[in-house]
Amino acid sequence: MNENYAVPAVALVVLATVFVGAFGLRISRTTSDFYVASRTVGPRLNAAAISGEYLSAASFLGIAGLVLVQGPDMLWYPVGYTAGYLVLLLFVAAPLRRSGAYTLPDFAEARLASSAVRRLAGAFVVGVGWLYLLPQLQGAGLTLTVLTRAPDWLGGVIVAVVVVAIVAAGGMRSITFVQAFQYWLKLTALLVPALFLVLAWQRDGAPHHAFDEPAAFREQRTIRVDDSLELRLERPLTVTVSGTVDGRPHEDQRLELPVGSHRIEAGTRLTFARGAHVPEAERDGDGGLSPSQAESRGERPLYATYGLILATFLGTMGLPHVVVRFYTSPHGVAARRTTVAVLGLIGAFYLLPPVYGALGRLYAPELTLTGDADAAVLLLPERMIGGLGGDLLGALVAGGAFAAFLSTASGLTMAVAGVLTQDVLPSRGVRHFRLGTLLAMAVPLAASALVGGLPVADAVGLAFAVSASSFCPLLVLGIWWRRLTPQGAAAGMLVGGGSALLAVAATMAGLPGTGALHALLAWPALWSVPLGFLTMTLVSLATPSRVPPGTASILARFHLPEELAEVKA
């Protein structure tokens, strides 16, 4: 990619983000403006803002990368991400807005009259938020590295600085305009290049069925292996090697590798002939192919698919940066209309990443070996079109990718900073909120430099699993079941969310390597979500005397239109 075009495009997106954020700052006057935009955001603007922050690095880069590597089965990601809003519409959106809360911990305390449950909910908000911020920062680093060969930490630092400045200066009012602007930018950044790429594909005479045959190189291609890996060959492979293969050094030597596994050491260059099949690769350390997730899908594809579906369907309603936006709606009806609009906006967007994944399998199959499959969206314009047109389209995609990192990171930072200010810092004023903003970004920024990454879509999927296991039971039972008790809510979040969080930690650490236990940990939602619901229900039934007084009137406020709730009160 030509950095002479891409870098100015990224800089322009950053400057536009700051400018739009400054506009929101000018009309932000009160504390309510700062936290929930004074609950005056209409459905159309709010839907665009929610879509802007929801379409993260996983949506912009990660889905295409997973489709490239593992095929059409990964289409469950965009389906699940979209369908989660249908669940949110049916069960949560309007009652959550009518609760009058600012954050999920506020909701927990208002519903259960328990400061202990509030603190526990706050801890999970912070944990999910930090887990979700990690792939945004890592994706920004990947993008800037692909563009300029800059260190992989630099992109994350740029995103962190811009986001902290916008959120700390203007709060919710400011990031509402930023995220709405960035949704339309992201949609344009994928849609326009996709049209040209599809036209180029049609003229090129490339295969029309990307996944019917094993991936193959359409031209001679030389790749450098930056992290040691194992190649698993199901057929003999002829390749030219400069480096170390199976412990033996070679210098521009043509090798015939037999069927089986072969170890390729870091720094080795492999030259594949035109038409050669792309071998399967398993990476060491923090490479992009994540043996953990790949093994789970390969060994137990049905279990992995159902785990993914459940996590994405139910995890959306508990994502802190999504939920906090519903508090900005004027009333419950507006919250429902917002959710319907979001379904249309993100549904339109998710038609595009699979196109890039399929084209990447045809034109950039070597990304499965280099561990950079998430970069397919960034590389395809140059690879398929080239020249000035490819450079300009690549610059547009790069700008859209940075918009994805900025918008999602803004929402997550706002949500986490709100909880830190309300429940951790000694004061709840705007000045302490700005300190909370710094803390909200500092931890994931430090972690992104220390922790190796799963593919960004996989990392976000793990955050969804924790959200689905902790907040989904709390919201559904808290809104629809009058017998929920503080003890039941706390136990359910600890057992369901805590077990999912431990499974996530084990998966990211690469433990265990294979087998049934590994699959259970890599895709925890299928057991951790029912466990959370069951624990919350059983403990509540065992403590019937602890149902908070006034529960009936609280539930009436959740479910009645605002006018009727006021009359009833």
Side-chain angles (χ1 to χ4, degrees), residues 42-66:
R44 286 183 292 183
L45 178 60
N46 212 10
I50 290 173
S51 302
E53 70 177 353
Y54 188 65
L55 299 172
S56 64
S59 299
F60 202 93
L61 301 179
I63 290 173
L66 287 177

Side-chain angles (χ1 to χ4, degrees), residues 32-33 35-42 45-46 49-50 97 101-102 172-173 176 322-331 334-335 338:
S32 182
D33 276 340
Y35 283 109
V36 289
S38 293
R39 306 189 194 274
T40 58
V41 183
L45 178 60
N46 212 10
I50 290 173
R97 166 58 190 88
Y102 281 92
M172 182 63 77
R173 180 72 75 180
T176 294
V322 170
V323 170
V324 73
R325 292 228 57 94
F326 285 95
Y327 301 136
T328 67
S329 295
H331 42 70
T338 296

Side-chain angles (χ1 to χ4, degrees), residues 505-531:
T507 299
M508 297 186 76
L511 302 172
T514 57
L517 179 58
H518 165 71
L520 290 172
L521 295 178
W523 304 99
L526 209 57
W527 53 267
S528 60
V529 173
L531 188 61

Side-chain angles (χ1 to χ4, degrees), residues 323-415:
V323 170
V324 73
R325 292 228 57 94
F326 285 95
Y327 301 136
T328 67
S329 295
H331 42 70
V333 173
R336 280 203 175 102
R337 289 174 179 169
T338 296
T339 313
V340 172
V342 170
L343 279 167
L345 293 177
I346 64 175
F349 180 92
Y350 279 133
L351 295 174
L352 300 173
V355 174
Y356 285 85
L359 293 175
R361 189 174 176 87
L362 295 175
Y363 290 91
E366 76 280 1
L367 295 178
T368 63
L369 300 178
T370 63
D372 294 327
D374 291 330
V377 172
L378 302 169
L379 297 177
L380 280 174
E382 179 187 35
R383 186 70 55 87
M384 294 180 63
I385 297 173
L388 179 61
D391 290 339
L392 293 176
L393 292 174
L396 179 59
V397 171
F402 246 75
F405 312 137
L406 289 169
S407 58
T408 302
S410 297
L412 288 164
T413 303
M414 180 77 201

Side-chain angles (χ1 to χ4, degrees), residues 84-473:
Y85 278 93
L86 182 59
V87 180
L88 188 64
L89 171 66
L90 294 176
F91 297 107
V92 173
L96 187 64
R97 166 58 190 88
R98 294 183 186 123
S99 72
Y102 281 92
T103 62
L104 274 170
D106 283 342
F107 168 83
E109 186 175 40
R111 171 64 178 85
L112 297 165
S114 170
S115 58
V117 175
R118 177 195 178 95
R119 288 192 295 270
L120 182 60
F124 273 101
V125 166
V126 173
V128 171
W130 282 343
L131 186 61
Y132 210 136
L133 270 167
L134 273 174
Q136 314 311 314
L137 301 175
Q138 291 173 345
L142 169 67
T143 300
L144 204 62
T145 299
V146 169
L147 296 180
T148 67
R149 298 300 173 186
D152 55 10
W153 53 264
L154 183 58
V157 170
I158 293 173
V159 167
V161 170
V162 174
V163 166
V164 167
I166 293 171
V167 173
M172 182 63 77
R173 180 72 75 180
S174 191
I175 68 170
T176 294
F177 293 107
V178 167
Q179 291 167 340
F181 156 72
Q182 287 172 336
Y183 167 76
W184 295 108
L185 175 60
K186 285 184 281 188
L187 182 64
T188 303
L190 279 192
L191 178 60
V192 173
L195 295 176
F196 285 95
L197 294 178
V198 169
L199 290 174
W201 166 62
Q202 290 287 339
R203 291 197 307 267
D204 190 42
H208 282 205
H209 303 284
F211 301 101
D212 285 352
E213 299 291 338
F217 294 95
R218 302 187 68 250
E219 59 186 24
Q220 180 175 301
R221 180 73 59 184
T222 298
I223 67 169
R224 175 185 169 86
V225 176
D226 291 326
D227 299 297
S228 299
L229 55 80
E230 295 280 340
L231 292 186
R232 292 178 291 184
L233 303 182
E234 296 181 355
R235 65 186 75 185
L237 174 68
T238 300
V239 62
T240 300
V241 178
S242 291
T244 304
V245 175
D246 294 331
R248 297 179 180 178
H250 303 275
E251 184 62 37
D252 286 330
Q253 185 175 350
R254 190 176 178 86
L255 297 181
E256 179 81 19
L257 299 179
V259 173
S261 295
H262 300 275
R263 183 168 182 80
I264 313 297
E265 298 299 336
T268 300
R269 286 188 297 111
L270 304 175
T271 300
F272 295 88
R274 178 179 179 179
H277 291 290
V278 181
E280 294 185 18
E282 179 176 309
R283 311 189 68 80
D284 290 347
D286 60 356
L289 267 183
S290 176
S292 60
Q293 299 278 311
E295 289 287 346
S296 296
R297 293 192 183 106
E299 293 178 356
R300 292 167 178 80
L302 192 60
Y303 176 84
T305 297
Y306 283 133
L308 168 64
I309 291 171
L310 196 63
T312 52
F313 276 32
L314 301 182
T316 300
M317 72 173 66
L319 294 178
H321 62 305
V322 170
V323 170
V324 73
R325 292 228 57 94
F326 285 95
Y327 301 136
T328 67
S329 295
H331 42 70
V333 173
R336 280 203 175 102
R337 289 174 179 169
T338 296
T339 313
V340 172
V342 170
L343 279 167
L345 293 177
I346 64 175
F349 180 92
Y350 279 133
L351 295 174
L352 300 173
V355 174
Y356 285 85
L359 293 175
R361 189 174 176 87
L362 295 175
Y363 290 91
E366 76 280 1
L367 295 178
T368 63
L369 300 178
T370 63
D372 294 327
D374 291 330
V377 172
L378 302 169
L379 297 177
L380 280 174
E382 179 187 35
R383 186 70 55 87
M384 294 180 63
I385 297 173
L388 179 61
D391 290 339
L392 293 176
L393 292 174
L396 179 59
V397 171
F402 246 75
F405 312 137
L406 289 169
S407 58
T408 302
S410 297
L412 288 164
T413 303
M414 180 77 201
V416 173
V419 170
L420 292 176
T421 305
Q422 297 281 328
D423 299 306
V424 177
L425 297 178
S427 174
R428 299 185 177 187
V430 170
R431 185 167 64 89
H432 284 81
F433 175 85
R434 289 170 176 150
L435 176 59
T437 301
L438 288 173
L439 294 175
M441 181 57 75
V443 172
L445 182 61
S448 69
L450 300 174
V451 179
L454 295 168
V456 291
D458 276 339
V460 169
L462 293 173
F464 269 76
V466 177
S467 171
S469 305
S470 53
F471 291 124
C472 176

